[in-house]
Amino acid sequence: MNVGDERSISYWMHEAPVIDAPPLTADAECDVVVIGSGIAGLSTAYELSRFGRSVIVIDRGGIGNGMTARTTAHLATELDDFYSELIKVRGEDEARLYHDSQVAAVNRIEAICRDEDIDADFARVDGYLFPAEPDHCSWLEEEYQACKSINVDVEWVEKAPVPGIETGMALRFPNQGRFHPTKYLRGLAQAILARGGRIYANTVHAGDKETDDGVEITTEAGPVIRARAAVFCTNSPTNDKVAIHAKQTPDRTYVVAGRVPKGSVPDALVWDTYEAYHYVRIQPLDETEDLLIVGGGDHRSGEAYDMEQRLADLESWTRERYPSFTGAEYRWSGMVFEPIDFMPFSGRNPGNTNIYIHTGDSGQGITNGVAGSLTIMPLIIGEDSRYAPVFDPARKSLTSTSSIGEFIREQAGAVKNFAEYIGPGDVKSADELQPGEGAIIREGLKQVATFKAEDGSVIRRSPVCTHMGCLVHWNGFERCWDCPCHGSQFAPDGQVLNGPAVKPLAEVEE
Ligand code: FES
């Protein structure tokens, strides 16, 4: 846990912390510096270290404590936004290449587990997509045809393996996968260290500049890292102010997990067709029990405050469909970045020569993160990168009428946010706050992000997000400040938990 990081703790984080690492305390040099220690960052550092490159990984918090530890780690090669939609905006050739990248990612994880002897509970399982409503069957048929057109292995089956309901006809995708994400990250980190790589926690990226032969990364505590290349894998890039942030929107998703008797829920990936779709898998626990992990309830970050209700809805959805579910033992939330044209951004950062980024994972952060590493590593070592053309962060984002409409609606949220500068505030004074609660309070002409700590003391900060000036909102479930525009999160005391913001919320000017 970071200092001041009161965000929800996932089952993975409870069960298997990644590694302890020191902060960077002196200037350093390397071939490649990777900012961010989630699946994309550690995978990229690992691949580069295998090719003899000296790597340094830094993370603003603990190693592997970001969004990778808050996923449910479905290793699905089916696109959660549907290949039928991707084909409409990018055509069959690019959709086929994207699918290839997902297959390659699952294969790569399996191979690394084997080669590095990482016991991360990797298993091949089938994936099932079932209609949430009877009239969604036509969507599945459209998806089935789209999959067939780009050689995705799929078939119709009588039902999905959901014990409590008759799902009706479903699509089965064989040879998907699941694993334990933090056990895997720990294995990757150890493999990087074994090859001479260096990993530093609690080391905050404060600035970056390209030099004649590389890049300099400055850190908040002072030390500078000089490298030939830098790769930003920070979920949302902290090096970029605008270019990428105009092409993706932040969504929040929720997860509940609880025990089921072993064998009562099939070992498979299962998801449905709601726009905020439910996604289900198990994680083996012991000889007698598995953990049933169910996600869903997504909404645009900062636009909903009924987190407890969403988690309760998720739990009752689960009980109805999985009668052996014994109740939510773990509840957590994560941030997902939705790219405008369904595919992530992996490659050279627009306008830079030696700076690379990976972001825009949608609901497929694990496979996209690994696919990103397989894209960026060849670019850095000067080899052909098969997936680079489709993942290029500078690509022109072609869109279908429906996706651009949805994206404009989501981007409009950022514009609307600026109207809140003249809003009344959430409550009138800190007296109305319970310990552990935060709210925006209007004080004369200004607004103040106000948090009441457990001991009754009050922390006041400017609510102006230090990325691009939107106003933050209180996230009561994760007990932090959320920026609805591009997904930054701040601790109650204003420290950055999640980029793209780099600087903490400012002190309040009296
Ligand atoms: Fe961009 Fe807050 S994250 S303005």
Side-chain angles (χ1 to χ4, degrees):
M1 287 275 283
N2 302 341
V3 175
D5 183 350
E6 303 195 37
R7 291 176 296 179
S8 52
I9 308 291
S10 71
Y11 162 72
W12 317 116
M13 298 160 89
H14 272 292
E15 209 233 353
V18 179
I19 58 161
D20 286 329
L24 179 70
T25 54
D27 291 356
E29 293 185 4
C30 60
D31 291 326
V32 184
V33 54
V34 177
I35 299 93
S37 64
I39 187 73
L42 291 185
S43 296
T44 303
Y46 170 78
E47 300 295 356
L48 288 162
S49 68
R50 280 184 65 250
F51 277 84
R53 300 304 189 271
S54 63
V55 296
I56 290 177
V57 179
I58 62 171
D59 196 296
R60 70 161 50 254
I63 301 306
N65 273 4
M67 290 305 148
T68 301
R70 293 175 171 82
T71 68
T72 56
H74 286 222
L75 307 180
T77 61
E78 160 65 353
L79 178 64
D80 68 341
D81 291 306
F82 291 180
Y83 284 112
S84 53
E85 291 300 313
L86 180 58
I87 289 170
K88 283 177 199 161
V89 297
R90 307 227 51 113
E92 287 186 0
D93 289 345
E94 290 198 15
R96 192 176 292 111
L97 203 48
Y98 176 76
H99 175 255
D100 287 354
S101 77
Q102 303 299 290
V103 173
V106 181
N107 291 347
R108 188 73 190 120
I109 290 169
E110 185 174 36
I112 290 172
C113 286
R114 181 194 60 227
D115 296 348
E116 301 294 345
D117 202 15
I118 301 173
D119 183 3
D121 307 322
F122 177 89
R124 291 283 181 176
V125 295
D126 288 346
Y128 294 87
L129 171 60
F130 71 93
E133 306 282 350
D135 64 355
H136 293 182
C137 282
S138 59
W139 302 359
L140 294 196
E141 177 57 23
E142 187 183 359
E143 180 62 2
Y144 174 81
Q145 296 298 342
C147 287
K148 285 295 181 191
S149 74
I150 57 170
N151 302 330
V152 174
D153 193 3
V154 61
E155 65 173 1
W156 278 105
V157 292
E158 290 295 320
K159 70 185 290 279
V162 183
I165 61 165
E166 283 300 326
T167 63
M169 297 281 284
L171 295 182
R172 183 178 81 93
F173 300 88
N175 221 19
Q176 312 290 291
R178 54 101 174 136
F179 74 166
H180 188 304
T182 51
K183 284 184 183 175
Y184 183 72
L185 289 187
R186 183 165 59 202
L188 273 188
Q190 288 168 342
I192 292 165
L193 293 171
R195 287 179 172 80
R198 289 161 279 174
I199 300 177
Y200 299 104
N202 301 312
T203 301
V204 180
H205 155 246
D208 47 86
K209 83 168 183 228
E210 288 198 287
T211 57
D212 288 344
D213 58 351
V215 59
E216 279 183 10
I217 300 294
T218 50
T219 62
E220 196 175 78
V224 176
I225 304 168
R226 294 179 181 83
R228 300 186 72 82
V231 188
F232 283 83
C233 300
T234 47
N235 200 26
S236 181
T238 54
N239 61 312
D240 175 84
K241 269 279 192 222
V242 180
I244 291 300
H245 304 299
K247 297 186 192 178
Q248 61 182 15
T249 57
D251 280 6
R252 187 148 282 289
T253 189
Y254 299 89
V255 181
V256 296
R259 290 163 196 273
V260 292
K262 204 159 206 73
S264 64
V265 176
D267 195 357
L269 310 181
V270 177
W271 65 107
D272 67 19
T273 51
Y274 282 125
E275 189 179 341
Y277 63 95
H278 301 90
Y279 45 101
V280 183
R281 60 164 280 195
I282 61 162
Q283 168 66 25
L285 288 181
D286 54 33
E287 296 293 301
T288 60
E289 289 182 312
D290 292 324
L291 193 72
L292 180 63
I293 305 172
V294 180
D298 299 20
H299 63 84
R300 174 79 195 280
S301 181
E303 284 195 349
Y305 305 96
D306 54 349
M307 287 84 169
E308 289 295 339
Q309 187 58 50
R310 283 169 193 267
L311 288 159
D313 290 347
L314 210 45
E315 194 167 345
S316 54
W317 183 95
T318 305
R319 286 183 189 282
E320 190 180 327
R321 286 155 185 82
Y322 296 91
S324 62
F325 180 61
T326 54
E329 208 172 314
Y330 304 91
R331 309 185 320 153
W332 70 89
S333 178
M335 183 90 78
V336 174
F337 284 88
E338 291 292 341
I340 186 169
D341 59 0
F342 311 126
M343 294 190 293
F345 303 102
S346 285
R348 196 168 270 117
N349 191 51
N352 288 125
T353 305
N354 301 311
I355 297 178
Y356 301 78
I357 59 167
H358 174 84
T359 188
D361 281 328
S362 188
Q364 297 182 257
I366 301 292
T367 50
N368 278 337
V370 175
S373 73
L374 300 177
T375 304
I376 292 171
M377 178 273 286
L379 290 174
I380 290 178
I381 68 172
E383 296 290 333
D384 281 348
S385 179
R386 183 158 185 254
Y387 310 119
V390 289
F391 289 168
D392 184 0
R395 71 179 180 261
K396 194 166 172 351
S397 290
L398 308 172
T399 53
S400 69
T401 311
S402 62
S403 70
I404 191 70
E406 177 68 9
F407 194 76
I408 286 172
R409 187 195 69 73
E410 290 177 341
Q411 287 288 313
V415 177
K416 196 174 70 190
N417 178 279
F418 286 96
E420 295 176 7
Y421 270 85
I422 55 167
D426 304 327
V427 298
K428 286 207 164 26
S429 83
D431 294 342
E432 296 179 42
L433 296 175
Q434 296 299 316
E437 272 185 3
I440 301 296
I441 296 176
R442 174 161 284 288
E443 295 181 5
L445 289 178
K446 65 174 179 279
Q447 311 212 54
V448 178
T450 309
F451 174 74
K452 185 179 275 187
E454 296 297 341
D455 64 3
S457 61
V458 172
I459 301 174
R460 300 163 70 249
R461 291 290 179 269
S462 164
V464 178
C465 175
T466 53
H467 176 229
M468 287 177 66
C470 288
L471 292 186
V472 298
H473 295 180
W474 178 246
N475 174 342
F477 175 61
E478 298 217 280
R479 305 221 310 180
C480 62
W481 299 104
D482 279 358
C483 179
C485 289
H486 312 108
S488 291
Q489 289 186 299
F490 302 86
D493 66 358
Q495 293 303 312
V496 178
L497 299 173
N498 212 43
V502 175
K503 295 194 174 128
L505 297 178
E507 304 275 337
V508 177
E509 286 176 24
E510 301 299 343

